Amino acid sequence: MARSLNEWLWQHEFWLPPGITWEDMEESEDVQYPQPHDLLLSIPFALILVVIRCAFERAIALPLSSKLGVRDKQRPKAQPNPTLETFYSTCCKNPEEGELISLAKQCDLPVRKVERWFRRRRNTDRPSLSKKFCEACWRFTFYFIAFFTGLAVLYDKPWLWDHRECWTGYPQQPLQPSLFWYYLLELSFYWSLVFTLPFDVKRKDFKEQIVHHAATIFLISFSYCANYIRIGTLVMIIHDASDCFLEPTKIFNYMKWKKTCDSLFMIFSAVFLISRLIIFPYTVLYNTYYYSMEIFQPFFGYYFMNALLITLQLLHIFWSCLIIHMVYKFILQGTMEKDMRSDTEESDKDEEREKMSEKEKNGITYFSNVTSNSYIQRNESEQLNNRTHLTNGHVKER
């Protein structure tokens, strides 16, 4: 059954244009074509990248964060409570008002204390600032290396400047060693992101990130197997261009360098919107949808490739809406809004409100005590002044 499934999966009608078979893609001593089994190397390379990342974060990024003044907030810990902990782990991390009242009755605690316990417990699970800094440093290092590696590999390639060259001689386009290693580097990195996904900082677009990683891995893998190497390299270098500005923006934000962060954010926004909403549709989508039709007729691989690219473009539009909203707020307020994808802590505002209300209550009590005491003292003094002491010791009212 496995053999029949393998034969069905690798039918040349799925992967190659009409009139081309796998026999036409056989390698020789002088010519090499992409082979699907080459992609298996990305798994051990991804594990190597995970090890390199751990070493980089511990040996370089973490000491750098302390030197640059990145400090983690002191978070008050939630007191041990088996009933609340069980509900938090199994049912819900953010209970509704009715659930809070029920839990308060079970624990014999005020509802406000139960609400505070859940708030502190959620904050305990949130990643620290130093963890976010280390993750941003690692991604910036990789995107920087990957982007300039892509430039070094592609600067002398004709399809970087003339997009119709992506289809010259397709699919019998020999695989150059530099393109193979560039592909392997990018695919290994995205596999490593999948492996570390449960441990990375979870943002509000977590589901979109999973879709993005899956679509990227499928896109890179399929483009390699179907020898869409030239299109794949364009997709990767376009994505890395804007990511090179995103990660340092986060780094300076964690360092509290507000003006530098705002400036980099505006640069990142411009690069992202231009590269993902203008360059990507014209260079890649229009290229694969129209220019390819000058070489071959549509087949399964053509539709599948374009479906993956359109999925990426829909994600680009989603993130562009978030970025445009942040830029709009920046223009109105003159300062950058917090990352809408980030999950901010709850304790700051809520607990400060509670402290302020307690201070206000204490202040009102103190003020009322002071005024009442002064009023009593003033009345007593007036009563004493209204009396005259006679020489014989008797008191006479005036």
Side-chain angles (χ1 to χ4, degrees), residues 54-64:
C54 293
F56 173 85
E57 290 184 353
R58 289 189 178 184
I60 299 177
L62 193 58
L64 184 64

Side-chain angles (χ1 to χ4, degrees), residues 151-391:
L151 286 180
V153 170
L154 297 177
Y155 82 97
D156 60 344
K157 302 298 186 293
W159 63 87
L160 181 64
W161 314 106
D162 184 3
H163 306 318
R164 292 178 184 269
E165 288 293 327
C166 290
W167 310 109
T168 301
Y170 179 84
Q172 295 171 314
Q173 297 171 339
L175 175 63
Q176 301 177 16
S178 58
L179 297 177
F180 167 75
W181 289 109
Y182 181 45
Y183 247 76
L184 187 62
L185 175 67
E186 292 278 357
L187 183 59
S188 301
F189 175 71
Y190 281 101
W191 272 120
S192 71
L193 290 183
V194 172
F195 295 157
T196 59
L197 204 59
F199 313 103
D200 288 342
V201 176
K202 289 183 175 61
R203 303 185 184 275
K204 294 179 180 179
D205 60 347
F206 180 73
K207 294 180 181 179
E208 288 81 3
Q209 285 286 345
I210 294 176
V211 174
H212 175 268
H213 295 341
T216 303
I217 290 173
F218 274 115
L219 180 61
I220 294 176
S221 301
F222 180 81
S223 64
Y224 186 85
C225 295
N227 205 11
Y228 282 105
I229 298 290
R230 299 184 179 184
I231 286 294
T233 54
L234 294 178
V235 174
M236 292 187 291
I237 199 170
I238 288 172
H239 279 72
D240 291 339
S242 59
D243 291 334
C244 286
F245 293 98
L246 173 62
E247 302 305 328
T249 302
K250 296 179 183 178
I251 291 172
F252 286 111
N253 183 37
Y254 303 145
M255 292 167 54
K256 310 299 183 185
W257 290 24
K258 194 65 179 171
K259 292 183 178 180
T260 307
C261 174
D262 292 346
S263 301
L264 278 175
F265 173 73
M266 297 304 294
I267 296 174
F268 158 74
S269 301
V271 174
F272 185 95
L273 296 176
I274 292 173
S275 63
R276 306 291 179 95
L277 299 184
I278 300 176
I279 296 178
F280 183 84
Y282 173 71
T283 304
V284 178
L285 291 179
Y286 189 82
N287 194 0
T288 56
Y289 193 80
Y290 287 105
Y291 288 165
S292 61
M293 293 296 94
E294 298 175 0
I295 307 298
F296 54 80
Q297 295 299 315
F299 64 106
F300 175 81
Y302 166 84
Y303 294 113
F304 188 69
M305 184 75 172
N306 280 283
L308 292 175
L309 292 173
I310 291 173
T311 301
L312 278 183
Q313 185 60 24
L314 292 176
L315 291 171
H316 295 165
I317 295 173
F318 169 77
W319 284 313
S320 296
C321 292
L322 297 181
I323 292 172
I324 292 172
H325 178 75
M326 294 176 71
V327 171
Y328 177 73
K329 291 288 186 181
F330 177 83
I331 294 174
L332 290 182
Q333 300 175 0
T335 182
M336 191 182 74
E337 191 183 40
K338 290 184 178 179
D339 188 357
M340 297 175 65
R341 300 166 55 222
S342 299
D343 197 7
T344 55
E345 294 189 20
E346 304 168 75
S347 60
D348 296 334
K349 294 182 180 179
D350 295 339
E351 292 194 3
E352 281 178 9
R353 276 198 216 101
E354 291 178 6
K355 290 178 182 178
M356 287 297 294
S357 62
E358 289 178 2
K359 287 181 181 179
E360 288 176 1
K361 290 179 182 177
N362 293 335
I364 292 171
T365 306
Y366 175 77
F367 179 75
S368 61
N369 290 336
V370 170
T371 52
S372 60
N373 290 337
S374 63
Y375 177 75
I376 293 171
Q377 291 175 1
R378 188 172 62 252
N379 288 342
E380 288 179 351
S381 63
E382 288 178 358
Q383 290 176 2
L384 289 175
N385 291 333
N386 290 332
R387 298 178 181 182
T388 55
H389 294 270
L390 301 179
T391 55

